[in-house]
Amino acid sequence: MKSTFIKYPFIFGFFLFTLVIFQSCKEEDVLGCTDNMACNYNSSATEDDGSCILPDGCTDLNACNYNADALCDNGDCFYESDALPNPIDLVYVEANVSGQVGEEVIAHLHIRNSSCDDLSGLVVRKFFSDPNASAYFCFNDFCFTSTTVVSPNPLNLSPFELDDYFKGYLTSDVPGTYEVTYRFYLENDPSQFTEAVIAYTIS
């Protein structure tokens, strides 16, 4: 009994042709990084090999925030010309937030050391005394009760380092608008400070 391939040469030829094409396609695969956000992105790569190096810091030796451990520049380098007279820089403040009676209303704040020197001993003081509401905050990885006025855990920031952990909370059973002032200052030099006023509208 003749085999199918001998009996039907067309089927055998088609099978052989398909096998050759498949093998040639496999041989043409190019391994490399296929993430176009990576520093070592390979536009010719057809299959990702897990070697992508994504932006992880400033790699410019002349920058104030140069990161010796960074492998891929993130385009976020800062220089002496970028430094501010007051290094305590509030780059983001939710100045107006709202919520319901009895609800925990949160405002976020991001602070940056906008200088080329290390910033050490940064603390925050809360100004609020309305008996109809309770205000409290989280700072430098710790959250405090409403009785805390000055944070007991000073924050240290490297040149142009950003800290986005701060959160200011307020709760009230009485509708109204409550303003809480947070002053960020150096523990050893209180005259160096920056303030943020947050308005909480409770309805």
Side-chain angles (χ1 to χ4, degrees):
M1 187 176 192
K2 293 183 178 180
S3 70
T4 301
F5 289 139
I6 295 175
K7 190 174 182 180
Y8 301 102
F10 174 77
I11 295 176
F12 176 71
F14 180 76
F15 174 77
L16 188 61
F17 175 77
T18 303
L19 184 63
V20 170
I21 292 296
F22 178 74
Q23 289 295 330
S24 64
C25 286
K26 283 190 67 176
E27 290 172 3
E28 289 176 5
D29 283 345
V30 178
L31 297 178
C33 173
T34 60
D35 188 339
N36 60 9
M37 297 297 292
C39 285
N40 60 330
Y41 166 64
N42 183 354
S43 60
S44 300
T46 58
E47 184 177 341
D48 196 279
D49 62 358
S51 67
C52 293
I53 302 174
L54 295 173
D56 58 352
C58 173
T59 60
D60 187 344
L61 284 167
N62 297 314
C64 297
N65 61 328
Y66 165 67
N67 183 352
D69 296 322
L71 299 175
C72 180
D73 196 276
N74 61 1
D76 202 25
C77 294
F78 293 93
Y79 305 87
E80 288 283 358
S81 58
D82 298 310
L84 300 178
N86 182 357
I88 307 172
D89 187 15
L90 302 182
V91 297
Y92 175 75
V93 178
E94 280 187 306
N96 296 280
V97 291
S98 58
Q100 302 298 312
V101 165
E103 182 181 61
E104 192 175 59
V105 184
I106 310 171
H108 296 83
L109 187 151
H110 301 172
I111 188 165
R112 182 175 67 189
N113 170 17
S114 289
S115 77
C116 286
D117 300 312
D118 289 331
L119 190 66
S120 59
L122 183 67
V123 294
V124 58
R125 182 183 183 90
K126 178 188 68 179
F127 294 90
F128 184 72
S129 60
D130 195 314
N132 292 318
S134 176
Y136 41 101
F137 62 92
C138 298
F139 176 69
N140 195 15
D141 295 332
F142 290 95
C143 293
F144 305 98
T145 64
S146 59
T147 59
T148 301
V149 176
V150 179
S151 60
N153 57 329
L155 174 66
N156 300 321
L157 295 173
S158 301
F160 288 95
E161 181 181 357
L162 176 73
D163 180 82
D164 61 1
Y165 185 79
F166 184 90
K167 294 176 284 290
Y169 296 83
L170 184 134
T171 58
S172 177
D173 292 327
V174 181
T177 298
Y178 303 90
E179 289 190 345
V180 182
T181 299
Y182 288 104
R183 176 179 293 180
F184 298 83
Y185 63 94
L186 300 181
E187 195 172 37
N188 62 351
D189 183 12
S191 65
Q192 185 80 70
F193 69 89
T194 299
E195 287 185 346
V197 179
I198 300 173
Y200 296 84
T201 300
I202 308 298
S203 57

